[in-house]
Amino acid sequence: MTKVLTIDDELIIRMSCERALSSVGYEVKTASGGKEGIGILEKERFNLVLLDLKMPDVDGIEVLKLIRVKWPDTKVIIITGYGTDQTAEETIKHGAHYLLEKPFTPDKLLSAINETLRL
């Protein structure tokens, strides 16, 4: 079973992702910030992380860098409400596989995940 961790400080995003992904068979866990997400990653493996770019405790880029070093096989989709060309370049440079802009539909989320997992 494909395991997905959603790290986002917005409860509605975590709930939406969990609902959409669970309904099609993904095993989903959520974290409300970077520190909590890192703690979960330390304890178990995930195929994919949905990672918010802007969080109050630890910036998404910092979490992304850590994931690339400690769990290089884990794919990462950055989710953000602040998407720009510069943001996209920076996240790809640090190893993100996809940049998904908020707000997004369940179909868009599933499409991004399917594309990322095929890489």
Side-chain angles (χ1 to χ4, degrees), residues 98-113:
Y98 198 98
L99 179 70
L100 183 61
E101 291 189 42
K102 297 176 188 177
F104 50 83
T105 64
D107 286 342
K108 180 73 174 166
L109 174 64
L110 291 170
S111 175
I113 289 173

Side-chain angles (χ1 to χ4, degrees), residues 83-90:
T84 65
D85 289 342
Q86 183 180 357
T87 303
E89 284 179 28
E90 185 176 4

Side-chain angles (χ1 to χ4, degrees), residues 5-8 30-46 49-51 55 57-68 70-71:
L5 175 62
T6 301
I7 305 173
D8 197 299
T30 64
S32 61
K35 289 179 186 175
E36 182 183 0
I38 292 166
I40 293 170
L41 285 163
E42 294 281 357
K43 294 177 185 154
E44 59 186 290
R45 297 268 181 228
F46 290 86
V49 174
L50 298 171
L51 178 61
M55 295 180 288
D57 66 342
V58 179
D59 183 72
I61 293 292
E62 294 306 312
V63 177
L64 173 60
K65 289 177 185 176
L66 183 64
I67 291 171
R68 293 284 49 94
K70 294 185 89 168
W71 305 284

Side-chain angles (χ1 to χ4, degrees), residues 3 5 8 14 21-22 24 26 29-30 32 41 47 54 59-60 62 69 71-74 79 82 84 88-89 93 112:
K3 293 176 63 175
L5 175 62
D8 197 299
R14 294 192 311 271
L21 299 177
S22 298
V24 294
Y26 290 100
K29 292 216 172 167
T30 64
S32 61
L41 285 163
N47 304 93
K54 304 276 187 200
D59 183 72
E62 294 306 312
V69 170
W71 305 284
D73 293 336
T74 301
I79 50 179
Y82 306 95
T84 65
E89 284 179 28
K93 178 177 83 173

